Amino acid sequence: MNAPGHFDWVDPRTWPWFFYVWLGLTALGFLKKPWDKLQRRRKESWPITTGQIDSATISSVTRRNSESFEVKLEYSYQPAGDIERGVYKRKFHSVEEAAGFGRELDRKPVVVHYNPNKPSSSMLSESSVESLLHV
């Protein structure tokens, strides 16, 4: 038998409560990528409309002593007469790659997937962005 305040790693009943919290948060971290992928697939089944890339901005992102560059594409579309707006982001390893990507897409028309129940909710699919790069 353990003294009060001590725990035995072999017996989960003696583990401290914060260990269960840590375990739960770790499990959620592992589930994030599959969840995001599932959500993206669901959104790709939404109806489409034509929109336009309104602006492309580059920002620097530093994480764990590593710098990357994020391009934020702001786009607009008109699913039901009202102008709606959305944002698409992509990361790059160099500022040159990011600048080239943004320069290629600025002011181009783009295919936008939007939620028919909430037209202000939208996304750009990877395939629609890639098709713009090869036009």
Side-chain angles (χ1 to χ4, degrees):
M1 180 115 210
N2 288 334
H6 289 84
F7 56 91
D8 182 9
W9 284 111
V10 180
D11 185 4
R13 294 175 296 168
T14 65
W15 295 351
W17 65 270
F18 57 83
F19 178 76
Y20 290 105
V21 171
W22 173 82
L23 195 60
L25 292 174
T26 300
L28 287 174
F30 281 112
L31 294 175
K32 184 173 177 2
K33 282 196 183 224
W35 176 254
D36 290 347
K37 191 173 183 177
L38 178 69
Q39 292 291 29
R40 185 166 271 296
R41 279 205 183 136
R42 184 179 61 81
K43 290 176 181 179
E44 286 178 347
S45 69
W46 287 349
I48 59 172
T49 188
T50 302
Q52 176 180 305
I53 307 291
D54 296 323
S55 68
T57 57
I58 301 170
S59 61
S60 173
V61 179
T62 303
R63 185 172 288 161
R64 295 187 202 143
N65 298 328
S66 170
E67 186 175 32
S68 62
F69 300 89
E70 183 178 80
V71 175
K72 180 170 81 170
L73 300 176
E74 295 181 8
Y75 59 92
S76 58
Y77 59 103
Q78 289 183 294
D82 294 332
I83 296 176
E84 303 289 353
R85 301 192 185 288
V87 174
Y88 171 91
K89 296 177 182 177
R90 186 183 283 187
K91 290 189 179 168
F92 294 89
H93 295 291
S94 74
V95 70
E96 292 81 13
E97 285 178 297
F101 177 79
R103 189 173 37 254
E104 288 291 318
L105 299 181
D106 197 22
R107 300 287 173 207
K108 284 193 174 181
V110 66
V111 174
V112 178
H113 293 265
Y114 69 94
N115 184 338
N117 300 320
K118 185 180 175 190
S120 62
S121 181
S122 66
M123 70 159 251
L124 299 183
S125 67
E126 293 299 321
S127 60
S128 67
V129 172
E130 288 300 320
S131 69
L132 289 176
L133 294 171
H134 302 293
V135 173

